[in-house]
Amino acid sequence: MSKITIQNTRPGGFGIPGGPVIAAGASLEVEAADWKTVKDHPVVKAWVDAGHLKLDGDEAVADEGSSSKSVTEVLAMANDPNVQFMSFKSAASKLLGDKTPAKKDEIVAALEELATNPGA
């Protein structure tokens, strides 16, 4: 999968919605698909437009080959210490849509509900 590097050019930290904080002057490498889930957030968009967050990578790749995982696969991601929260939330949002909760435990509960009641 493609990666995007986000650099914070401001003198203070910046918290990615639902994700980590990028320290002043530091960079964070994320999956392009994860970036896609937050890039249109009003604050993120404003910081990018103002030049406070600089991007390096191909955002267009985020739409290519991003196949959805099964509910079981996404639930397994929740317990994998090597999977970042943003990656887990991105995969979950493909299954839950606009009703994806913000917190990990709420997402897990929604996925478990989907697994037991797929038609609900």
Side-chain angles (χ1 to χ4, degrees), residues 6-8 10 12-16 20-28 47 53:
I6 307 167
Q7 180 184 9
N8 176 7
R10 300 259 311 161
F14 178 76
I16 298 292
V21 172
I22 306 172
S27 297
L28 175 68
W47 275 50
L53 294 178

Side-chain angles (χ1 to χ4, degrees), residues 69 72-81 83-84 87-88 91 104:
K69 296 182 182 310
T72 306
E73 290 172 318
V74 177
L75 282 169
M77 291 173 70
N79 297 320
D80 186 342
V83 176
Q84 293 182 359
S87 297
F88 165 69
K104 184 176 181 177

Side-chain angles (χ1 to χ4, degrees), residues 1-6 16 20 28-39 55-66 69 77 82-91 94:
M1 203 174 257
S2 178
K3 300 274 189 182
I4 291 184
T5 302
I6 307 167
I16 298 292
L28 175 68
E29 187 175 82
V30 297
E31 296 290 339
D34 294 338
W35 170 248
K36 183 182 171 198
T37 66
V38 297
K39 73 177 188 173
L55 305 175
D56 183 26
D58 188 4
E59 289 183 63
V61 177
D63 293 327
E64 297 175 8
S66 54
K69 296 182 182 310
M77 291 173 70
N82 297 319
V83 176
Q84 293 182 359
F85 175 72
M86 287 175 59
S87 297
F88 165 69
K89 186 173 181 181
S90 174
K94 290 177 185 174

